[in-house]
Amino acid sequence: MSDLGYDAAHMLGAVVLLMSFALLYQRRLFSLLNVFTMQALALTATAAWQAYSHGEPHLYITALLTLVLKAILIPVALHRIVVKMKIHRTIEPALGIGLTMVAGVSLVTLSILLVLPVTADATALTRENLALSLSVVLLGLLMMISRRNAVSQVVGFMSIENGLILAAVGVAGMPLVVEMSVAFSVMVAFIIFGIFLFHIRERFDTLDMQKIESFRGESD
């Protein structure tokens, strides 16, 4: 791969990671969904560039699936859920934004320390892609832990899946069936989450997980 191709691939992967930090910073649901859309678009560009630079046409399918599912269908569906269910649109974090960002930087450092030593025989781009991917996965997990709103936790789960896709497209020779199974899994998970959100709203009239826990404590 040329220096330009390497730099472009590295930059696109870094943008996906940057969007993970932007997700952690958001305090309003619609802003959160818009940032998630931007992350999906960056992931689409990453997959398309890898397809072009490595000569792997099947990655164009991955890019198309990511664009349609993650950048269009899922954000639109979540927007409609928020509007239809009249969900409170301000996100209340379990941790402060400052502490969350510090924890995020720590997780990125941990990812680098874990991945780089065990991938010493791989190419530099593969090593960096895997480090970026693990960072995105861990930041998505941090978002699920540090947010009380169920919709934001769904977005955190989808961000974790973005990290898995980033890992899949960053490793040369990754079979298409793996990428297709990841895309299918996220669609199934999204449908389950959608049903789950509607049932929570009908039962508790809120999607704030802290209030739901309080309700359960009162019932006991």
Side-chain angles (χ1 to χ4, degrees):
M1 180 184 292
S2 65
D3 291 340
L4 176 60
Y6 174 85
D7 291 341
H10 185 73
M11 181 190 69
L12 290 170
V15 170
V16 176
L17 176 60
L18 180 63
M19 290 300 102
S20 290
F21 277 103
L23 287 173
L24 290 173
Y25 186 77
Q26 301 306 309
R27 297 296 298 269
R28 298 187 64 82
L29 277 178
F30 283 161
S31 297
L32 181 74
L33 296 178
N34 291 337
V35 172
F36 175 75
T37 301
M38 293 173 62
Q39 185 184 54
L41 290 173
L43 185 60
T44 299
T46 301
W49 179 255
Q50 294 282 21
Y52 172 76
S53 60
H54 287 289
E56 298 183 8
H58 70 274
L59 289 180
Y60 287 117
I61 300 176
T62 302
L64 180 62
L65 287 173
T66 303
L67 176 64
V68 173
L69 297 178
K70 309 299 288 294
I72 299 176
L73 293 182
I74 289 177
V76 168
L78 286 175
H79 268 90
R80 291 184 176 180
I81 287 174
V82 170
V83 173
K84 184 175 181 179
M85 299 176 66
K86 299 179 181 179
I87 299 172
H88 185 57
R89 298 175 188 180
T90 300
I91 302 171
E92 297 182 7
L95 296 176
I97 295 297
L99 287 176
T100 302
M101 300 302 283
V102 170
V105 172
S106 301
L107 290 175
V108 172
T109 303
L110 177 63
S111 300
I112 295 173
L113 294 176
L114 288 175
V115 170
L116 296 187
V118 300
T119 56
D121 296 332
T123 63
L125 182 59
T126 298
R127 297 174 69 195
E128 292 174 5
N129 274 338
L130 290 176
L132 290 170
S133 301
L134 180 58
S135 298
V136 173
V137 169
L138 292 179
L139 291 178
L141 182 60
L142 175 62
M143 184 174 176
M144 293 185 69
I145 295 172
S146 64
R147 295 295 181 269
R148 294 171 179 168
N149 184 279
V151 174
S152 61
Q153 292 177 350
V154 171
V155 173
F157 175 82
M158 297 297 167
S159 181
I160 291 175
E161 198 266 343
N162 283 348
L164 297 177
I165 294 179
L166 182 61
V169 302
V171 178
M174 179 67 72
L176 177 61
V177 64
V178 175
E179 298 156 21
M180 292 291 289
S181 64
V182 171
F184 177 75
S185 297
V186 73
M187 282 303 299
V188 172
F190 180 74
I191 293 172
I192 293 173
F193 271 124
I195 296 172
F196 177 68
L197 292 177
F198 276 107
H199 279 290
I200 288 180
R201 182 68 178 183
E202 288 180 0
R203 178 67 178 84
F204 299 102
D205 197 34
T206 182
L207 289 179
D208 189 311
M209 301 309 292
Q210 188 179 40
K211 293 180 180 178
I212 294 173
E213 287 290 334
S214 300
F215 181 86
R216 189 178 67 177
E218 292 174 0
S219 298
D220 294 339

